[in-house]
Every structure is written in C-alpha cells, then in structure tokens.
Amino acid sequence: MSKISIIIPTHNDGKYLQQCLQSIKNQEFQDFECIIVDDGSTDDTHQIASEFSALDNRFFRQLQE
C-alpha cells in the first residue's frame, strides 16, 4: 500500500493534465498512487490519463459516468 494517495479530479482538462501528471511523476518522493478521476471529458483527457496509467503503475484512471 502506498503512503500517499493523490486524487486528481478532471473534466476537459487535457490542456493542463499532461503537465500536472508529469510534475507528480517527477517528484523526489516516489511511494504514492495517483488516481485520475475523469468526469466524462470530451477532449483528450481520457487519452492522457490512459497513457500515464499504461506507462506507470502508480497512476490509475477512474471514469465517472
């Protein structure tokens, strides 16, 4: 179990999500999980979250419907 859980709520935040997630990934502290909650975005938010989830097992994508 991770020491820290980071929850990122998103809705059409593709413009900023890449930078946000990369910043979290680059932190010195590495014992975390990052849960990205997508509230039905219609931009590239879903794609960005899926890419991070596929490349790094500390990132999880949760789709809210």
Side-chain angles (χ1 to χ4, degrees):
M1 179 172 244
S2 301
K3 286 189 177 185
I4 294 177
S5 294
I6 304 165
I7 301 171
I8 308 292
T10 64
H11 182 77
N12 291 335
D13 293 319
K15 182 176 179 181
Y16 308 103
L17 187 59
Q18 180 87 24
Q19 182 179 357
C20 174
L21 297 178
Q22 192 63 48
S23 176
I24 293 168
K25 185 177 180 176
N26 292 340
Q27 295 301 308
E28 188 173 315
F29 185 80
Q30 297 293 311
D31 191 11
F32 67 85
E33 66 178 355
C34 182
I35 303 165
I36 308 157
V37 182
D38 182 2
D39 190 22
S41 296
T42 57
D43 65 353
D44 59 347
T45 296
H46 172 76
Q47 179 183 356
I48 294 167
S50 293
E51 288 172 4
F52 266 83
S53 297
L55 296 174
D56 192 325
N57 64 359
R58 296 173 297 173
F59 291 83
F60 303 92
R61 184 187 58 80
Q62 177 69 38
L63 180 61
Q64 295 293 338
E65 295 185 38

